[in-house]
Amino acid sequence: MEREALQRAFGDNVKRYRAISGKSQDEFAYTADISTVYLGELERGEKCPSIEVAYKISTALNITLAQLLDFNTGEHIESEAFTKVKDILKTVPDNSKIRLVRIFERFAELYKEDFNI
């Protein structure tokens, strides 16, 4: 993979995991002890972080450095999310699972509307 592609892939992962964490760029930059401007450059794939900065970011995201550097187009993130949802559904009584899925579907619709996705 070329340097530019690596930087974009890294930035995409940071942005995706940050979105999952629910933190804004400002909040996350503060948590990771990096500047908001630098975080934006990383997320856009304009900069390449040092290993120290990559580690700070992974720690602030509560993931491993290996997860942050996994550039399989977000498939890992999606499968991790599905696993968490399945684990939650296992704890819900069968007669409530469909209702919970409907709530999740409505939440996803609202999320898409709020973020123009």
Side-chain angles (χ1 to χ4, degrees):
M1 201 181 266
E2 293 182 25
R3 182 181 180 96
E4 292 82 17
L6 283 170
Q7 286 177 199
R8 281 192 305 277
F10 180 84
D12 289 346
N13 278 0
V14 172
K15 189 173 186 175
R16 205 174 294 120
Y17 277 115
R18 180 181 59 76
I20 290 169
S21 78
K23 292 186 178 179
S24 69
Q25 278 190 332
D26 288 335
E27 292 170 319
F28 183 73
Y30 179 79
T31 303
D33 192 30
I34 59 176
S35 78
T36 305
V37 172
Y38 186 56
L39 176 60
E41 292 170 333
L42 289 172
E43 288 188 354
R44 290 188 301 275
E46 296 170 359
K47 297 282 183 172
C48 184
S50 68
I51 193 70
E52 179 184 4
V53 169
Y55 182 75
K56 283 173 142 182
I57 290 170
S58 71
T59 301
L61 290 168
N62 293 316
I63 61 173
T64 66
L65 188 54
Q67 287 174 292
L68 185 59
L69 298 176
D70 181 359
F71 301 139
N72 291 323
T73 65
E75 293 168 7
H76 174 75
I77 295 168
E78 289 180 10
S79 66
E80 187 176 317
F82 287 131
T83 299
K84 287 182 180 183
V85 169
K86 280 178 27 183
D87 288 345
I88 291 168
L89 285 174
K90 286 178 188 176
T91 67
V92 175
D94 286 341
N95 61 348
S96 299
K97 288 180 181 177
I98 295 299
R99 180 159 170 70
L100 188 58
V101 168
R102 288 189 184 129
I103 290 168
F104 182 75
E105 287 172 336
R106 183 61 183 136
F107 175 79
E109 289 170 12
L110 292 171
Y111 179 85
K112 288 178 183 177
E113 289 172 15
D114 284 351
F115 293 96
N116 298 317
I117 297 173

